[in-house]
Amino acid sequence: MLVLLLLTFNLNPWLVVVISITGSTLGRYILSLYIPKISAAVVNRREDENLRYVESKLARTPWAASTFIFVYT
């Protein structure tokens, strides 16, 4: 999408990259603030317990979390 914008409007590539990174980071930060509130309304108690169990296991070692995310995706 960004390449299409760059080519269509003849934009400065460095400016587009900086704006894109800033927007992506800000969006992820805002999402991380509201996910617990949204998930409390959507996820039932049993699923929440399962997610907290997985979180506790993954929080022990950073490499385990990275490996789990890589394998899961």
Side-chain angles (χ1 to χ4, degrees):
M1 184 68 175
L2 294 176
V3 173
L4 181 64
L5 288 173
L6 282 170
L7 295 175
T8 303
F9 298 109
N10 196 21
L11 301 173
N12 180 352
W14 293 108
L15 183 62
V16 171
V17 168
V18 169
I19 291 172
S20 302
I21 291 172
T22 305
S24 177
T25 304
L26 184 62
R28 289 170 194 261
Y29 175 70
I30 291 170
L31 185 63
S32 71
L33 292 177
Y34 290 102
I35 282 295
K37 295 174 185 171
I38 294 170
S39 68
V42 175
V43 177
N44 66 29
R45 186 184 59 82
R46 176 90 172 149
E47 290 175 2
D48 188 50
E49 289 173 2
N50 289 339
L51 291 172
R52 292 193 189 278
Y53 174 77
V54 170
E55 176 189 16
S56 69
K57 294 296 182 185
L58 292 176
R60 291 183 184 173
T61 55
W63 63 267
S66 299
T67 304
F68 175 76
I69 292 168
F70 178 74
V71 170
Y72 181 75
T73 55

